[in-house]
Amino acid sequence: MTTQAHSIVRETVKPEYTRYTPTNGKKPDGADFGVDGWLFALPGETLGGVRFPQARYAAFQAIERGALFWRVREVGGERRQVGSDSTTRKGALALAVNAIAQQREKAAAPATRHPGARARGTAWRLASEDGERSPVSAAMTERLERRRAGQLAALPTVAEIRMAYPLAGGGGTLRLMTAEGSTTERHMIPLTERGSAGRENDPAGIYLDAITDGANTEGLKTAAEWHLMRLGFNYARGAAWAPYTGSASSEAQWKEWAPMLPEGHRWPHTVRVAITATAEHLAYIDRAYGPAPELPDLPDGVSAHPSGPRSWQISYANRRFWQLSYWPRMGDDVWTLYADPARTKSLATADNPGELLAIIPDRDAEAQSRAAARKGS
């Protein structure tokens, strides 16, 4: 009888946290980790002969549908969210630890530890060398195609500027909605204050000015246009902002509160305009859910083998190894060179792989020098 292996991360009662802020130099790169938060690590282990390296994570706060939640995301790798959102940091940590333990235990289960299921990186490598798609790469391609179709079907088609009720401060919020009226977190943006954790603000400084006093002013539309451009959307042909009438109960509430607003600022409390995705946005979706780009010519002595859908194992003279990852973004895509297979220690980033591959020989020479110095000391 085979006993199911149990991950030791379940026994991690209180990880050691490291606070990061925008100014202390410890914040992970990118806007996926909020403005500030806490870094922590979960130990590595070997389960059923499968080695899982130590991994780092970030716990931070995010806004979802106007509510504040705690979220945990992996640092390095694909920077995926781990576990579900929670109203407390402790809750988010517990959900993340349980999800990680389950992932490790499932990967180490005897039923999955056969050559066809455990060698994902090998399958990608063989697919590249033989010129044919392996079952793993074929399944991944099909999954990406389904996700691409889902992304295209869920593109926002309406932008809305909605004023808050006077007693809530009278601020304005931009929402990008699908035809069904759904809105994701990244498409709900405050216009009259600095945005949620990690959100970039208009460099013109409109957030610092009093652009509204309970009114749907032209300043709000200027702010909304800036965010639409950054997100890759534009007004539909011939479309313009127009007043929008909500539910009967909402309109009755606004009618009751109208005397609290300054004269001339009582209407409209909500305006909408039809929007379409720009060519840049559609190209980003194609890159995000399409095949990985090809690497350029490699420097002498450098070799590369696929280790995942958008990652490569890089080696120099077959004696030192790195990981290279590709991350599609709106605007400039990001390539990252990592010092470890788990992709937790970032060495450098660039907007093209050639720049990172070119520094591999120098990185190897530096490592050789350090090793020789340690040996001689």
Side-chain angles (χ1 to χ4, degrees):
M1 178 177 178
T2 303
T3 302
Q4 172 67 48
H6 291 281
S7 172
I8 62 172
V9 298
R10 297 183 189 276
E11 303 170 5
T12 304
V13 179
K14 188 177 181 181
E16 294 185 3
Y17 290 101
T18 299
R19 179 71 182 272
Y20 64 83
T21 69
T23 58
N24 68 1
K26 298 180 180 180
K27 180 182 179 298
D29 294 335
D32 296 333
F33 303 98
V35 171
D36 52 27
W38 285 262
L39 298 170
F40 65 94
L42 292 179
E45 60 184 323
T46 299
L47 293 178
V50 180
R51 177 61 186 169
F52 300 95
Q54 175 178 298
R56 290 202 311 154
Y57 303 87
F60 58 95
Q61 288 182 302
I63 294 179
E64 187 83 23
R65 297 185 181 276
L68 199 59
F69 291 94
W70 281 93
R71 181 170 295 169
V72 174
R73 191 181 297 277
E74 63 182 1
V75 177
E78 297 182 5
R79 310 204 297 189
R80 296 166 295 185
Q81 179 179 347
V82 182
S84 303
D85 293 337
S86 176
T87 55
T88 65
R89 187 181 72 175
K90 183 177 180 181
L93 174 63
L95 292 170
V97 168
N98 184 63
I100 294 164
Q102 288 182 350
Q103 291 171 3
R104 292 184 178 186
E105 291 165 356
K106 182 178 180 180
T112 65
R113 285 191 290 104
H114 55 78
R118 71 179 178 178
R120 174 184 243 184
T122 302
W124 278 91
R125 187 176 302 116
L126 292 176
S128 174
E129 293 171 354
D130 296 342
E132 298 179 357
R133 292 198 309 173
S134 71
V136 174
S137 63
M140 178 60 71
T141 299
E142 293 173 2
R143 187 179 304 118
L144 289 173
E145 289 174 352
R146 289 195 300 270
R147 293 180 62 185
R148 176 182 179 276
Q151 286 289 319
L152 291 173
L155 282 173
T157 59
V158 175
E160 174 187 272
I161 299 176
R162 177 183 297 182
M163 304 307 300
Y165 293 131
L167 297 182
T173 299
L174 172 67
R175 296 176 63 211
L176 275 59
M177 301 178 291
T178 65
E180 293 75 24
S182 61
T183 301
T184 63
E185 178 194 353
R186 69 180 183 277
H187 291 155
M188 186 177 297
I189 306 166
L191 297 177
T192 50
E193 60 188 40
R194 292 198 176 274
S196 60
R199 192 175 305 279
E200 186 174 2
N201 294 305
D202 185 348
I206 58 176
Y207 295 89
L208 305 180
D209 299 329
I211 61 176
T212 182
D213 185 14
N216 220 321
T217 64
E218 291 302 314
L220 290 181
K221 295 173 185 176
T222 300
E225 290 169 0
W226 185 84
H227 282 290
L228 287 171
M229 178 186 68
R230 295 287 295 176
L231 293 170
F233 292 93
N234 205 344
Y235 297 146
R237 185 181 297 274
W241 293 101
Y244 173 78
T245 301
S247 64
S249 60
S250 175
E251 294 302 313
Q253 199 167 37
W254 272 101
K255 184 177 180 180
E256 177 183 349
W257 285 14
M260 302 178 189
L261 294 174
E263 189 66 30
H265 289 178
R266 298 176 180 175
W267 192 85
H269 52 76
T270 303
V271 292
R272 286 187 175 182
V273 65
I275 59 174
T276 59
T278 62
E280 181 186 18
H281 191 109
L282 297 177
Y284 156 71
I285 292 178
D286 288 340
R287 297 195 308 275
Y289 301 103
E294 295 184 1
L295 297 181
D297 293 338
L298 303 175
D300 292 340
V302 176
S303 62
H305 299 284
S307 57
R310 289 184 173 82
S311 62
W312 295 260
Q313 183 185 74
I314 309 297
S315 66
Y316 181 72
N318 290 322
R319 65 169 175 253
R320 196 171 302 280
F321 297 89
W322 295 265
Q323 284 287 328
L324 178 68
S325 292
Y326 167 65
W327 192 259
R329 298 282 179 86
M330 275 289 296
D332 295 329
D333 295 339
V334 177
W335 292 80
T336 305
L337 183 66
Y338 295 92
D340 60 323
R343 295 178 294 180
T344 60
K345 185 179 180 182
S346 171
L347 294 178
T349 60
D351 58 7
N352 68 86
E355 182 178 334
L356 298 178
L357 292 169
I359 67 175
I360 290 294
D362 290 339
R363 291 279 183 177
D364 180 79
E366 292 172 3
Q368 294 280 34
S369 297
R370 289 194 299 269
R374 288 194 300 268
K375 186 175 180 181
S377 59

